[in-house]
Amino acid sequence: MAEGSKDQAAVVGTTDPEEDSPNMIVYRKIEDIVTRIQDEKAGGVAIRTVKSFLSKIPSVVSGADIVQWLMKNLSIEDPAEAIHLGSLVAAHGYIFPISDHVLTLKDDGTLYRFQSPYFWPSNCWEPENTDYAIYLCKRTMQNKARLELADYEAENLARLQRAFARKWEFIFMQAEAQVKIDRKKDKAERKILDSQERAFWDVHRPVPGCVNTTEMDIRKCRREKNPHRVKKSVYGVPDDGQSQPSPIHISSQPMRKPTKEDVQKEITFLNTQLDRHCMKVSKVADSLMTYTEQFMEYDPFVSATEPSNPWISDDTSFWDLEASRDPSQQRVKKWGFSLEEALKDPAGRDQFLKFLESEFSSENLRFWLAVQDLKRRPLQDVASRAQEIWQEFLAEGAPSSINLDSHSYERTSQNLKDPGRYSYEDAQEHIFKLMKSDSYARFLRSNIYQDLLLARKKQPADTEQGRRTSLEKFTRSVGKSLTGKRLTGLMQSS
């Protein structure tokens, strides 16, 4: 007997704390009522198949039958009270209308269906956004007439597609695989499962304006022993951004109440995450392949260099040619890849500056070069050089004034109160973007760049043509002299 009481105490001591949560107590009471309603042998509501105009609707009951059962078996005299109780059961997803996203009970012939125990809220599921994305993506692949997305669902799908751009291919594959599995099921079974899944998401992602019953009241949370809810995935796909920490690493100290500054920092962080640009892995791979193919001929370890490779020989002529002010065709071609490549090359920098001077906008590049030089200056010269740059380019009445936006100007002004090597970082970035989007594109189309590029291409042909012309002149002159001598000899002989 003592051993039995010990075992019972051990069982009580190891019960899941979630079972004592306020929501779980409500769920158990509702589930007891739903189980009794479905038990036809014990006087429950008869579940039947209703014939429609061209089809059959399986496993449904009417709202009036449910209201009558509640009044009869729960000793409820007022029909309004029974409808209210039934609506609470429906709001938690245990029963749902087959043709409406709003989970309420009506005392009429509206058809309802019982939710599968697999989707009951007592499983403590807080489904991830990736699960919702798979469900919505799957809906777009199925019967459009029967499972067409509502307006709010289409908006949610677009929002999720932007949020999960990096893993959308994986989500699409998951949805496609589930659609293939569902198509192998019986048609009636598939209809029931589709409606039950839709009702599950109507509970956890309700229609705008409806209350989410899975959210716990703050007063209940204070009474709860274990506030950490168990998260599960409906389709087995974890959400990277919302994973719970391991119970081993949960601090036992009480959490500090967040201050206004903490909330503001969190809002700023979330806004930054929303604005972050995301790309698919396939697009990144394509960009990497394009970059590799573009620069392959400039890699001396992959392509042969002329006159010789200085990394495997003692000849440094290649490095001398690369540093010369007379660029080769290969170097001129490289300037067209990006503005960064043009500014890396001393000759490219000079040609770009020459072009900007022709457009009376050379101050932009001179400012950019001055800031680059500032970053390499000794620390004792940084403050004085920073002030010189300000007086030359940014001060009122500066001789080479540049065009800055107000934000960059204010940031730079604040930075110069304590000048450093990177005080002009915002202004330099703004000017670089301005040159890249405006001046650089015109430089590539200008006669300065095109003539230089074509001249380098035609140089061997021009040399060959010059040699051929000189040879022809020499031959013509020799022929004329021989002809003159021959005529003179004939006249003398006669």
Side-chain angles (χ1 to χ4, degrees):
M1 185 70 179
E3 292 179 358
S5 61
K6 289 180 180 180
D7 294 340
Q8 186 176 2
V11 171
V12 172
T14 58
T15 56
D16 187 0
E18 281 290 336
E19 295 292 333
D20 297 331
S21 67
N23 278 11
M24 192 61 65
I25 296 173
V26 175
Y27 295 153
R28 295 308 179 199
K29 291 182 178 180
I30 295 177
E31 288 166 10
D32 180 61
I33 295 173
V34 172
T35 304
R36 290 171 58 188
I37 295 176
Q38 295 182 82
D39 190 359
E40 296 184 26
K41 296 181 180 179
V45 178
I47 302 174
R48 62 188 187 276
T49 298
V50 178
K51 292 183 179 180
S52 182
F53 178 64
L54 294 175
S55 61
K56 295 180 179 179
I57 305 175
S59 305
V60 292
V61 296
S62 68
D65 292 341
I66 296 176
V67 173
Q68 291 296 326
W69 188 94
L70 292 173
M71 294 179 65
K72 179 181 178 181
N73 292 271
L74 300 182
S75 302
I76 300 175
E77 297 180 358
D78 187 0
E81 185 178 350
I83 294 173
H84 175 68
L85 177 60
S87 296
L88 290 177
V89 175
H92 287 83
Y94 288 95
I95 57 175
F96 58 90
I98 63 171
S99 59
D100 194 357
H101 288 279
V102 181
L103 302 177
T104 57
L105 181 65
K106 300 178 181 178
D107 189 11
D108 54 17
T110 303
L111 298 179
Y112 290 80
R113 188 170 284 147
F114 290 99
Q115 182 62 282
S116 170
Y118 178 78
F119 290 118
W120 280 357
S122 58
N123 286 320
C124 300
W125 276 354
E126 292 179 11
E128 310 287 358
N129 285 331
T130 46
D131 296 325
Y132 190 42
I134 292 173
Y135 164 71
L136 294 177
C137 191
K138 183 170 67 173
R139 285 267 301 275
T140 61
M141 303 176 187
Q142 294 173 333
N143 190 330
K144 298 293 189 299
R146 183 165 55 89
L147 296 167
E148 186 177 3
L149 294 180
D151 292 341
Y152 79 96
E153 289 178 319
E155 293 176 2
N156 290 340
L157 178 61
R159 192 179 299 111
L160 291 169
Q161 192 168 3
R162 290 193 299 269
F164 296 114
R166 291 178 297 175
K167 59 192 300 186
W168 192 255
E169 291 183 6
F170 175 69
I171 291 173
F172 186 85
M173 290 171 57
Q174 289 284 328
E176 199 172 28
Q178 292 183 27
V179 169
K180 291 180 181 178
I181 295 174
D182 291 341
R183 286 173 181 168
K184 297 178 182 179
K185 297 177 182 177
D186 181 67
K187 186 176 180 180
E189 181 185 1
R190 191 165 65 245
K191 281 185 178 181
I192 295 173
L193 291 176
D194 288 342
S195 65
Q196 290 174 339
E197 189 176 16
R198 188 209 68 193
F200 172 81
W201 288 110
D202 286 341
V203 173
H204 293 274
R205 300 292 188 275
V207 180
C210 295
V211 178
N212 188 347
T213 57
T214 60
E215 294 179 354
M216 191 174 295
D217 183 76
I218 188 170
R219 290 172 296 180
K220 294 181 180 179
C221 289
R222 289 179 178 178
R223 295 197 302 266
E224 190 178 1
K225 295 181 180 178
N226 183 15
H228 298 284
R229 300 295 303 276
V230 178
K231 282 195 174 186
K232 298 182 182 179
S233 175
V234 182
Y235 306 118
V237 183
D239 190 351
D240 299 338
Q242 297 184 356
S243 58
Q244 286 284 357
S246 171
I248 300 175
H249 298 92
I250 295 175
S251 176
S252 59
Q253 298 178 357
M255 295 182 63
R256 179 177 61 86
K257 185 178 180 180
T259 61
K260 182 179 179 181
E261 289 75 12
D262 296 336
V263 176
Q264 190 63 39
K265 288 181 180 178
E266 185 176 2
I267 292 173
T268 304
F269 171 76
L270 294 175
N271 287 332
T272 305
Q273 296 298 312
L274 288 174
D275 295 336
R276 187 179 62 179
H277 181 65
C278 300
M279 293 183 66
K280 292 183 178 180
V281 177
S282 57
K283 291 184 178 180
V284 174
D286 291 340
S287 300
L288 180 60
M289 291 296 295
T290 304
Y291 178 85
T292 304
E293 293 171 358
Q294 187 180 45
F295 284 88
M296 185 177 295
E297 62 176 307
Y298 298 94
D299 190 344
F301 292 100
V302 178
S303 304
T305 59
E306 294 181 0
S308 63
N309 193 336
W311 281 272
I312 58 177
S313 67
D314 294 331
D315 186 7
T316 60
S317 301
F318 175 77
W319 288 337
D320 297 336
L321 291 173
E322 287 293 307
S324 68
R325 294 288 177 175
D326 186 19
S328 62
Q329 178 195 351
Q330 196 177 30
R331 285 173 61 186
V332 175
K333 180 182 175 183
K334 194 176 182 182
W335 300 348
F337 291 170
S338 65
L339 179 58
E340 291 87 346
E341 295 297 331
L343 295 180
K344 284 179 184 177
D345 194 323
R349 205 160 50 234
D350 293 342
Q351 294 297 328
F352 187 50
L353 181 60
K354 180 181 177 182
F355 168 75
L356 292 178
E357 288 174 349
S358 67
E359 290 198 337
F360 304 100
S361 59
S362 61
E363 65 276 0
N364 290 333
L365 182 56
R366 288 191 286 111
F367 170 76
W368 188 87
L369 293 173
V371 175
Q372 288 293 100
D373 177 68
L374 176 66
K375 296 176 182 178
R376 305 184 185 97
R377 285 293 182 101
L379 189 59
Q380 61 268 20
D381 300 338
V382 168
S384 59
R385 181 55 182 158
Q387 292 299 329
E388 292 175 3
I389 294 175
W390 176 268
Q391 294 299 327
E392 183 179 358
F393 296 100
L394 291 172
E396 293 185 8
S400 302
S401 179
I402 59 174
N403 186 15
L404 274 186
D405 62 309
S406 59
H407 175 72
S408 301
Y409 186 85
E410 290 175 2
R411 290 287 299 271
T412 305
S413 302
Q414 292 292 329
N415 293 339
L416 284 180
K417 293 179 179 178
D418 183 18
R421 289 193 177 98
Y422 298 93
S423 298
Y424 290 97
E425 192 72 17
D426 294 326
Q428 186 188 32
E429 183 179 359
H430 176 78
I431 292 299
F432 183 84
K433 290 180 179 178
L434 187 65
M435 292 191 298
K436 184 176 182 180
S437 61
D438 186 25
S439 304
Y440 175 66
R442 291 200 304 275
F443 169 69
L444 297 181
R445 297 192 300 266
S446 67
N447 294 332
I448 294 178
Y449 179 75
Q450 293 296 330
D451 292 346
L452 190 60
L453 184 63
L454 294 176
R456 294 297 168 187
K457 287 183 178 179
K458 292 181 178 180
Q459 188 175 5
D462 292 343
T463 304
E464 186 67 26
Q465 185 178 1
R467 290 175 181 174
R468 191 182 301 114
T469 304
S470 300
L471 181 61
E472 290 175 355
K473 289 181 179 179
F474 175 75
T475 306
R476 195 178 298 114
S477 63
V478 171
K480 288 180 179 179
S481 62
L482 289 176
T483 304
K485 290 179 179 179
R486 188 176 302 165
L487 290 173
T488 305
L490 290 173
M491 290 174 66
Q492 291 175 353
S493 63
S494 61

